[in-house]
Amino acid sequence: CLLFYDHSSNTIHYGCIGDSGIVVIREYGDEFADIETYNDPETPPKQLGIHGDGVDAFRFGNVTLVAGDVVLVANRPLFENLSLSEVVTVISLHHWFQNTAVTLSHVQQLVSLSMSTSRTPYSKKLQAKGYGRPGGLLEDIAVLLLWFDH
């Protein structure tokens, strides 16, 4: 995702492509999410580049922030291996954002490597297509957490 913060209106304008998403979590449990995962686990993520999908593949939007909001930007593995409620729980349990980003990365990695689970969004999609594979999506992850205190 690409983010632009408009200080005059406390608004984040964003553009997300393919396997990235943005989540805004409010103090009282409300959340906004623009996440694209794939109904077909065999579909490759959309990309920019010479042989990419182009600018038309972007999803654009904006969110007005209030004090205390937490903004999470991450790519596909986080959202394929953990449900949104699990992500919100991990964030709500931690107060140091560097540690929280690392914790999210580690939790999703452990889930993706676990062959004893079939609960991930990714494994549920595979099972729906007739594949019996438990576990999650084994890909690199990027996580960015921002705390808005304006």
Side-chain angles (χ1 to χ4, degrees), residues 109-129:
Q109 182 182 34
L110 291 172
V111 169
S112 72
L113 294 172
S114 172
M115 291 305 183
S116 63
T117 182
S118 60
R119 68 174 180 79
T120 69
Y122 185 74
S123 63
K124 288 177 183 176
K125 291 174 190 176
L126 285 174
Q127 290 167 11
K129 292 189 76 62

Side-chain angles (χ1 to χ4, degrees), residues 23-148:
V23 177
V24 177
I25 303 162
R26 299 247 149 90
E27 280 188 273
Y28 301 103
D30 295 334
E31 67 230 8
F32 162 84
D34 186 342
I35 302 166
E36 182 176 312
T37 57
Y38 300 94
N39 291 326
D40 183 354
E42 299 167 354
T43 302
K46 296 176 181 158
Q47 301 178 32
L48 290 177
I50 295 172
H51 302 291
D53 297 294
V55 178
D56 290 342
F58 265 95
R59 300 178 325 276
F60 295 99
N62 57 67
V63 182
T64 301
L65 301 177
V66 297
D69 279 355
V70 175
V71 180
L72 166 68
V73 179
N75 63 342
R76 180 180 181 192
L78 182 71
F79 302 118
E80 291 282 18
N81 291 325
L82 300 175
S83 68
L84 186 55
S85 64
E86 290 172 314
V87 170
V88 171
T89 298
V90 170
I91 291 171
S92 67
L93 293 174
H94 292 80
H95 299 288
W96 298 100
F97 284 99
Q98 180 62 37
N99 293 340
T100 304
V102 170
T103 300
L104 278 171
S105 299
H106 287 176
V107 169
Q108 79 79 32
Q109 182 182 34
L110 291 172
V111 169
S112 72
L113 294 172
S114 172
M115 291 305 183
S116 63
T117 182
S118 60
R119 68 174 180 79
T120 69
Y122 185 74
S123 63
K124 288 177 183 176
K125 291 174 190 176
L126 285 174
Q127 290 167 11
K129 292 189 76 62
Y131 301 106
R133 183 186 179 282
L137 179 64
L138 301 172
E139 287 185 7
D140 293 335
I141 184 171
V143 175
L144 172 67
L145 275 171
L146 307 166
W147 179 56
F148 185 71

